[in-house]
Amino acid sequence: MAPVQTLSSLAHSGDNSAATAATRPRRPRGLVSEIVEALVLSIRQGQLQPGDKLPTEVEFMARFDVSRTVVREAISKLQASGLVETRHGIGTFVIEPPDTRNFKIAPEDFATVADVIALLELRISLETEAAGLAAQRRTPANLVQLEAALQNFKDAIPHESDGVPADFQFHMEVARATGNQHFADLMTYLGTMIIPRTRVKTLENVPEGRLAYLQKVHAEHESIYHAIRDQDSDSARAAMRTHLSNSRERLRKSQPLDSAPSN
């Protein structure tokens, strides 16, 4: 992959973007992570500030030489991470990051697959109890949002997508259904980095293949949803623990623990 470049110059690229795209060499596709990393870098370096408007989809497409689908998936991941928000009819804007105080888990903390597994172990503790509380406290509105997240994930399975935005959306809705804002705030801070597929190319290494793998994840999500819907706290905790434990074991089997994440 080519070195990550910042995005601040895009805001002023104007009509030159198309000409630039025409003259530079084409690079391999699959650059969702490059767009995400470029934006994160620009924010960290202060080149993009809260309130700044991002380039348009067309400008992203020209700058990175990718399709509209790739751009939209990248923006989806950034939204799920709490870095940007899209205002209908106006555009997408950088927003204030969540107040993390002294607690920090950054992308650079994932030096090995073992680090990714360590985060999964944290999630098992956190999200198992969240599922139990969600089963006790969920509202009809919570169920609507959980159902929407399930459907979004199911819709992504037949397409060439890793399903990460919908996966994160489902876990975020479980956190919201607890009625405890701290669960939702922590999930917002962690963002899509909690999904191992954002750090490790799991789908390329699972023996059953991408389609079967995502179908299995969807079935596990359904089990969690059904328990929350039925207000069965014990089953909700068990289903969430099983889901995240399975994710941990799938990762252990597919990658050497001391290897660097693939993404």
Side-chain angles (χ1 to χ4, degrees):
M1 178 180 292
V4 174
Q5 300 181 44
T6 59
L7 302 178
S8 57
S9 60
L10 269 178
H12 308 289
S13 60
D15 296 334
N16 292 329
S17 57
T20 302
T23 57
R24 67 171 178 275
R26 292 185 63 83
R27 294 173 291 119
R29 207 174 158 275
L31 300 177
V32 172
S33 61
E34 182 177 334
I35 297 174
V36 173
E37 289 168 12
L39 179 57
V40 170
L41 182 62
S42 291
I43 292 173
R44 285 180 178 167
Q45 293 180 344
Q47 294 162 335
L48 286 174
Q49 299 285 336
D52 286 350
K53 184 177 179 180
L54 295 191
T56 65
E57 288 183 355
V58 172
E59 289 171 327
F60 270 119
M61 290 163 63
R63 172 64 182 82
F64 289 93
D65 197 12
V66 294
S67 69
R68 191 179 301 273
T69 299
V70 170
V71 173
R72 288 182 175 175
E73 187 169 348
I75 296 299
S76 239
K77 290 187 176 186
L78 292 163
Q79 289 170 333
S81 298
L83 291 173
V84 303
E85 67 176 7
T86 298
R87 302 170 192 169
H88 184 65
I90 302 176
T92 300
F93 296 81
V94 178
I95 60 176
E96 289 282 357
D99 181 8
T100 60
R101 301 179 186 251
N102 294 326
F103 181 76
K104 180 182 179 183
I105 299 179
E108 55 265 28
D109 295 324
F110 298 100
T112 67
V113 171
D115 294 332
V116 180
I117 289 175
L119 180 56
L120 270 172
E121 291 174 348
L122 172 64
R123 290 182 61 197
I124 289 171
S125 299
L126 172 72
E127 294 190 64
T128 294
E129 185 57 26
L133 291 174
Q136 294 173 21
R137 301 172 180 174
R138 95 300 185 272
T139 66
N142 291 140
L143 291 182
V144 169
Q145 295 303 315
L146 284 165
E147 289 168 1
L150 273 178
Q151 188 61 48
N152 288 341
F153 189 89
K154 183 178 180 180
D155 291 344
I157 292 175
H159 305 289
E160 288 300 319
S161 169
D162 58 13
V164 167
D167 198 338
F168 176 77
Q169 180 190 3
F170 178 80
H171 287 273
M172 187 71 195
E173 294 304 335
V174 171
R176 289 183 176 130
T178 66
N180 183 330
Q181 187 61 39
H182 296 301
F183 280 99
D185 287 346
L186 182 55
M187 291 293 286
T188 298
Y189 165 62
L190 293 173
T192 55
M193 76 169 73
I194 69 170
I195 310 298
R197 295 190 302 283
T198 64
R199 308 300 305 168
V200 180
K201 292 182 179 178
T202 312
L203 298 180
E204 296 181 3
N205 297 298
V206 290
E208 67 267 40
R210 186 193 73 86
L211 186 62
Y213 177 93
L214 293 179
Q215 287 172 336
K216 187 179 298 184
V217 172
H218 178 62
E220 292 170 2
H221 283 177
E222 284 188 315
S223 295
I224 297 166
Y225 166 75
H226 290 151
I228 292 174
R229 180 197 62 192
D230 297 341
Q231 296 189 296
D232 186 338
S233 296
D234 290 340
S235 293
R237 291 187 181 95
M240 182 64 82
R241 178 175 289 277
T242 296
H243 170 52
L244 295 177
S245 296
N246 285 348
S247 294
R248 179 181 59 187
E249 293 312 306
R250 286 189 287 259
L251 189 52
R252 280 177 173 163
K253 291 176 182 178
S254 67
Q255 302 279 338
L257 295 184
D258 59 351
S259 65
S262 307
N263 280 357

